[in-house]
Amino acid sequence: MNGWNSTDSRLFSWTYDSPEAGSPDRNEALVYFMSQEEAPPPLLRQELKDAIVGLSEAKVFAAGRGEAEVLPTLGFNPYPQIIIAGLGPSGADAQAWREAAAAAVRKALARGIGKLAIMTDSVGKTESDPLTRIRALTEGFMLGSYYRQTYKKTAPSRVLLEQVKYYVTDKAEEAKLQDAIQTGCIYASATNYARDLTNTPGNAFVPETMASEAKRLAEAYGLECAVLDDKQLLEQGMLGLYNVGKGSIHPPRMIVLKYQGLPEWKNVLGLVGKGVTFDTGGISLKKADGMDEMISDMGGGAVLLGVMKAIGEMKPQVNVLAVIPSAENMPSDRALKPGDVISTLSGKTIEVTNTDAEGRIILADGVTYAKQLGAGRIIDVATLTGAVLVSLGDLATGAVSNNDAFMKELLQAAERSGERLWQLPAYPEYKEALKSSVADIKNSTVNRWAGAITGGLFIGEFAEDTPWIHLDTGGTAYLLKERGVDPEGGTGAMVRTLLHYIVH
């Protein structure tokens, strides 16, 4: 019996047949998965097992996480080539399967192989059940096959992933099997979409572009969308966002997407995403080295658009509000200056001591607006600080919260997603560094100690008593080198964690 996934029937399928029953073409490979403690897969001919052992003895392939190799079968298998992918130590979790799938598909595409057949039960010991495993594999194949768009005169020749077929032996219920593949597809597709947005050059993606993309999503998936322009920001008192964006020829926008999956607009989760489409630092100008990476400073907003895309596809029974304050932080004769004191939608005033700490200023208005629109709990996502990179490197997203129970739920969602999330302390003493003698709060501290924490706590002042979590993706939203399921460039970090929290 064969089945096709309803979300992307062009890509994923499954069969209960044996691999020997198929007629693979030259562009197809059969994928096996191995843990480090296990012998080569028993279904293989002895000649191929010996070849795998030889790779291990030559220290070419040790079945570690992220390892994969392609072997020609030389007529010893119906498939012209096989791919072996490592799961690391025995007892592989879902993330190990994601990483193995990503490694396998990258190796396949590099060798010109666009069709894969998967032996999902090719290891004996695993911590994940078959359906969780297939969902993780689906995510891994889609995430690992991601290509960053180029703008070269002659486009590079690339082999794309054409087909993935699962050989399933456990006779899982068809509806559950289809749901596992479909969910994996949607989560990975949302992440890849956020990656595309994050990687878009700053000259092609300005606040108005971000607003247009939100409107396109709303139309495509039946969401409600509202966009406030710079004049409306002034009228409504959103002066934090207005002042950050006023130095650019591309005026700021406040973008709102609303999904109502419950009969009443209550129990609303508010998502607030930083949408700085390019950050020069403003008058407090950044150094030239690495400034090109600031195309990713709208990574928080990109994550929210990815999340809302997935929610629009899945239609869960939840209420979700996405608020994206979007601006371009530029130096000019109109730009915000160090020493300025500005008001915000909340009525609180900010002493601007550093115009390069602009993200927290626009998020202040975003958080207040989310509360006004009915959010009962709030998660903000932002490439907020370089300090989080100093603290956690590019391996984990930092989190600050005013509600430990809320935070615990999100940490559990991150564990399920395979994304790394680390809670930072929010001791009251840290807030002392944000006190101002001329305004309610200042946007940057004198010595920048604990910068990831104080930056988050600045936003928390505007959340007030509303349960709130701040996610600082300053180290994880954009990578300089491919790692695990993530590519070089935009990663879409936290899309899948948020979806695991929202949809379960």
Side-chain angles (χ1 to χ4, degrees):
M1 180 178 181
N2 297 302
W4 286 97
N5 172 260
S6 60
T7 297
D8 196 343
S9 60
R10 299 166 299 171
L11 203 59
F12 290 92
S13 67
W14 70 86
T15 179
Y16 297 124
D17 294 332
S18 164
E20 281 70 28
S23 300
D25 59 36
R26 298 175 65 183
N27 186 35
E28 194 164 0
L30 184 63
V31 183
Y32 289 90
F33 299 94
M34 291 178 58
S35 67
Q36 290 176 317
E37 292 81 7
E38 291 188 298
L43 297 178
L44 287 176
R45 288 274 297 269
Q46 189 60 46
E47 293 85 351
L48 294 175
K49 292 181 185 179
D50 292 342
I52 294 173
V53 171
L55 289 176
S56 177
E57 291 175 347
K59 301 188 185 305
V60 174
F61 177 78
R65 285 175 72 149
E67 290 188 51
E69 288 295 331
V70 180
L71 285 79
T73 60
L74 304 176
F76 295 120
N77 191 287
Y79 284 81
Q81 52 261 317
I82 62 171
I83 298 175
I84 47 173
L87 290 162
S90 181
D93 58 13
Q95 183 63 10
W97 286 92
R98 288 187 193 96
E99 292 180 8
V105 74
R106 286 174 183 146
K107 186 68 71 170
L109 298 179
R111 296 289 186 90
I113 302 167
K115 296 180 180 179
L116 300 177
I118 315 304
M119 296 300 299
T120 60
D121 294 323
S122 62
V123 293
K125 297 178 181 179
T126 177
E127 292 180 0
S128 55
D129 65 82
L131 294 175
T132 299
R133 192 183 316 156
I134 288 172
R135 173 173 167 176
L137 286 171
T138 302
E139 289 183 14
F141 286 125
M142 290 192 69
L143 295 171
S145 63
Y146 176 81
Y147 282 125
R148 182 174 179 175
Q149 182 181 354
T150 67
Y151 301 85
K152 297 181 179 181
K153 179 179 179 181
T154 303
S157 177
R158 287 173 168 169
V159 176
L160 302 177
L161 184 61
E162 301 175 52
Q163 175 183 297
V164 176
K165 179 167 62 179
Y166 293 122
Y167 285 106
V168 182
T169 59
D170 60 15
K171 300 287 184 179
E173 293 182 37
E174 186 172 339
K176 291 182 178 179
L177 179 60
Q178 178 168 320
D179 181 68
I181 296 174
Q182 180 175 344
T183 303
C185 251
I186 291 173
Y187 280 40
S189 176
T191 304
N192 285 343
Y193 168 68
R195 290 171 173 179
D196 278 341
L197 296 178
T198 304
N199 287 328
T200 304
N203 61 323
F205 202 81
V206 297
E208 188 174 2
T209 318
M210 196 166 213
S212 296
E213 185 61 22
K215 291 176 182 177
R216 187 192 68 79
L217 276 185
E219 185 174 346
Y221 296 107
L223 309 172
E224 293 183 35
C225 182
V227 177
L228 304 182
D229 62 22
D230 49 329
K231 294 180 181 178
Q232 291 169 308
L233 296 180
L234 273 175
E235 291 170 358
Q236 297 205 24
M238 299 183 186
L239 299 180
L241 176 56
Y242 176 83
N243 276 285
V244 168
K246 70 180 182 179
S248 172
I249 195 172
H250 303 292
R253 296 285 186 270
M254 182 66 85
I255 304 162
V256 177
L257 283 171
K258 176 181 174 182
Y259 169 80
Q260 184 170 346
L262 296 171
E264 297 181 53
W265 186 243
K266 60 182 182 180
N267 298 323
V268 179
L269 172 65
L271 303 176
V272 183
K274 178 182 173 184
V276 176
T277 57
F278 193 83
D279 181 19
T280 66
I283 297 298
S284 305
L285 195 65
K286 293 178 182 291
K287 294 180 180 179
D289 291 346
M291 196 194 289
D292 56 298
E293 298 167 29
M294 289 300 102
I295 63 171
S296 67
D297 213 23
M298 38 62 70
V303 164
L304 264 55
L305 291 177
V307 168
M308 297 306 287
K309 175 181 181 293
I311 288 174
E313 290 183 72
M314 301 182 81
K315 301 287 191 295
Q317 293 183 340
V318 294
N319 289 333
V320 182
L321 177 73
V323 177
I324 304 172
S326 184
E328 190 177 56
N329 189 21
M330 300 289 285
S332 74
D333 59 338
R334 304 176 306 281
L336 190 65
K337 305 179 298 299
D340 285 357
V341 175
I342 61 174
S343 185
T344 62
L345 179 61
S346 68
K348 294 180 180 180
T349 55
I350 299 171
E351 178 190 3
V352 180
T353 57
N354 185 341
T355 65
D356 194 22
E358 85 297 334
R360 63 200 70 180
I361 296 175
I362 69 172
L363 288 168
D365 278 346
V367 166
T368 302
Y369 198 37
K371 288 164 58 179
Q372 290 183 359
L373 294 175
R377 62 196 191 284
I378 292 173
I379 301 173
D380 79 77
V381 189
T383 50
L384 199 76
T385 68
V388 75
L389 193 60
V390 175
S391 300
L392 302 174
D394 61 1
L395 291 173
T397 294
V400 178
S401 179
N402 64 3
N403 188 297
D404 285 341
F406 188 17
M407 187 72 240
K408 183 178 180 180
E409 291 176 352
L410 192 67
L411 287 168
Q412 291 171 345
E415 184 72 21
R416 294 193 298 273
S417 76
E419 296 187 297
R420 288 172 172 160
L421 179 61
W422 191 262
Q423 183 178 5
L424 298 168
Y427 304 133
E429 290 84 353
Y430 286 121
K431 296 180 182 179
E432 294 295 317
L434 296 170
K435 286 186 175 180
S436 167
S437 59
V438 298
D440 293 310
I441 193 169
K442 61 183 177 183
N443 79 322
S444 183
T445 60
V446 175
N447 55 29
R448 300 193 180 183
W449 291 354
I453 296 171
T454 56
L457 289 175
F458 176 97
I459 302 166
E461 283 295 301
F462 297 85
E464 298 176 319
D465 295 330
T466 301
W468 156 84
I469 298 170
H470 161 67
L471 301 179
D472 191 340
T473 58
T476 54
Y478 193 91
L479 297 183
L480 299 180
K481 186 179 180 181
E482 173 188 293
R483 183 183 62 237
V485 299
D486 292 322
E488 176 186 344
T491 64
M494 293 292 107
V495 167
R496 289 178 296 116
T497 291
L498 290 173
L499 288 173
H500 273 274
Y501 173 75
I502 295 167
V503 184
H504 306 295

